[in-house]
Structures are given as structure tokens and as C-alpha cells.
Amino acid sequence: MKIAILSDIHGNRQAFETVLADARARGADRFVILGDIVGYGGDPTWCVETCMDMVAEGAIAVRGNHDQAISDPSYAMNASAGIAIDWTRITLEPRHRDFLARLPVSVTDEDRLYVHAEGSAPARFTYVNDRSDADAHFKGCSARLSFCGHVHAPALYGLGLGGKVTTFVPTSDIGIPVGPPRRWLAVVGSVGQPRDGNPAAAWALYDTGACELSFRWTAYDIDGAATAIRAASLPEGLAQRLYRGR
């Protein structure tokens, strides 16, 4: 089975549509959405509606911190993010808000853990920025293979039998063996607002039979996504950063 793993869509319809098409063309049998379906982007309704349809058809989805903020106005965010969430909250229909609120913070499927942020305390939405953060994840959960987002920059961490955490640099379309005895934590990057210096939408494809993980960067219509942000009268910086991948 090939599992397409997407995170941090952030209301970016253009990126989401393009990645879904790319994943299906590459033989994805199943989809996993690692949260932050909304926030920042100008098409939250379409993105949530699409996720709702995908979950109804068997996809897995977990809740991110921006999804959480829709039902929790007290959740602290920076100014631009807060403006986007306030607009998104009143733009979504009640059924969309209810869907986001009901998403679990993590899902375990066989030997795989799906979570938005670091897995030892999923509801805290702690970033995995380095080996120390990855070590906290490994010590706080037992999954052999974990997938998360939240950071908006792809990364891969492995835990060896000696307890040492190693960082691996993801390369596009190169199958990385992620079988035992190591345990693994893959940070899949962001579909809708990349921050790794590459403006293309980032996602990952996991082949369960081969135990191989490949990271993908898919080019999409950034102009269209920026236009949607401007049409919603959201901060201009949210549109500009899409071109920089920052």
C-alpha cells in the first residue's frame, strides 16, 4: 500500500488540489492529513469540504493547532495568523467547524503514529525543530514509525538501538528505507505554506510493502493561491511568503 501523507494545507486550494493529483498519479492508495487544514490561506471552505469527503472515503485526518483555534478563540497566535483564523472562523459553516473540532489529535494505525506535532503530548502542539525535540518524541511514545507536520520544513529523524537520534536530510523522490530496528520520525513539511526555502508544496509518500519513505515537492499555482488571500483581504505578507517558501 502507498500512503500519501499531507500536512499544513492552510486553506491553500491550489496547492492541495495539485498535490492530490500528483499523489494519485504516483499510485497513492490511501491519504493521511496531519492537521492545519485551515489558517493563512484564502480557500478554507473548499479545503475542509475536501477533507471531509476524503475522511468519509477512508482517509485519516488529525487536528492541528490552527484547526484547534477555530473552536478555541483563546488559543494564542501571532497577528497575521490570528487575523486569518478570525476570518476563517466566520467564513466556515457550522458543519465545517464541527468537523475540525471533532478531529483527534493523533491516530495510531498498525505500527504508525500520525500526529500534527511532537507525539509525547500531541495536544500541546510542540514543534520538532531538532534532535532534542525528536528525542522527546521517541521517549514519550512507542510507535516505530511516526509522521508529523507543524514545522513547515521536511526532516527525518532516526533512533538507533543505542539511543542516539540521527538527522537525515530529505531528498526529493529518493526512497529512504525506514524499517526496523530503528524507530523513525518523519516531519513531512507543508502543502500550503512551505518554510524550507522551496515554494513548492511538500508532502510524503510511504510504501508499506517496501518500508520506504519518499519526500516530494510539487510545484503549484502560487499566483492563484496569492490571489485568493488578497481577495479575502488577509495580510499581504501571507501572499508574499508563498513565493519565497518562507
Side-chain angles (χ1 to χ4, degrees):
M1 181 169 60
K2 291 184 177 180
I3 306 173
I5 304 162
L6 288 60
S7 190
D8 298 274
I9 296 161
H10 284 301
N12 188 332
R13 175 176 180 168
Q14 288 74 16
F16 193 13
E17 278 187 311
T18 303
V19 167
L20 289 178
D22 191 12
R24 288 169 178 140
R26 293 173 182 277
D29 303 296
R30 194 175 191 188
F31 287 86
V32 175
I33 309 296
L34 297 180
D36 278 4
I37 300 165
V38 300
Y40 300 128
D43 285 298
T45 299
W46 188 91
C47 291
V48 175
E49 191 78 36
T50 299
C51 286
M52 291 171 69
D53 292 343
M54 291 172 66
V55 168
E57 294 171 359
I60 291 173
V62 301
R63 189 188 337 140
N65 57 307
H66 286 252
D67 308 321
Q68 173 78 27
I70 294 297
S71 59
D72 182 7
S74 68
Y75 189 88
M77 292 193 154
N78 65 45
S80 292
I83 291 169
I85 284 296
D86 289 343
W87 173 79
T88 299
R89 189 181 295 116
I90 63 175
T91 299
L92 294 176
E93 298 177 16
R95 63 193 182 93
H96 299 135
R97 296 194 294 269
D98 183 65
F99 170 77
L100 295 176
R102 291 176 179 272
L103 288 174
V105 291
S106 66
V107 171
T108 299
D109 184 24
E110 297 182 356
D111 63 345
R112 302 179 295 274
L113 172 67
Y114 300 117
V115 63
H116 181 63
E118 183 263 306
S120 68
R124 294 181 183 174
F125 299 117
T126 303
Y127 290 92
V128 180
N129 289 314
D130 53 32
R131 284 182 294 179
S132 175
D133 298 328
D135 187 54
H137 164 87
F138 288 124
K139 288 177 178 176
C141 68
S142 60
R144 190 194 67 78
L145 179 58
S146 301
F147 297 92
C148 74
H150 198 35
V151 181
H152 293 221
L156 180 63
Y157 300 92
L159 177 68
L161 294 177
K164 181 180 179 180
V165 176
T166 306
T167 304
F168 298 83
V169 179
T171 304
S172 183
D173 278 342
I174 302 297
I176 304 169
V178 288
R182 286 183 183 269
R183 293 173 61 201
W184 299 91
L185 171 61
V187 185
V188 302
S190 173
V191 169
Q193 197 191 82
R195 296 178 189 167
D196 60 345
N198 185 343
W203 58 285
L205 188 65
Y206 176 57
D207 186 326
T208 62
C211 254
E212 283 191 351
L213 176 67
S214 58
F215 289 82
R216 287 281 304 154
W217 284 262
T218 303
Y220 73 95
D221 177 15
I222 296 177
D223 288 337
T227 296
I229 289 171
R230 292 175 180 129
S233 298
L234 296 174
E236 175 63 19
L238 297 179
Q240 290 295 325
R241 72 186 307 169
L242 296 179
Y243 293 95
R244 303 190 302 270
R246 291 291 185 190

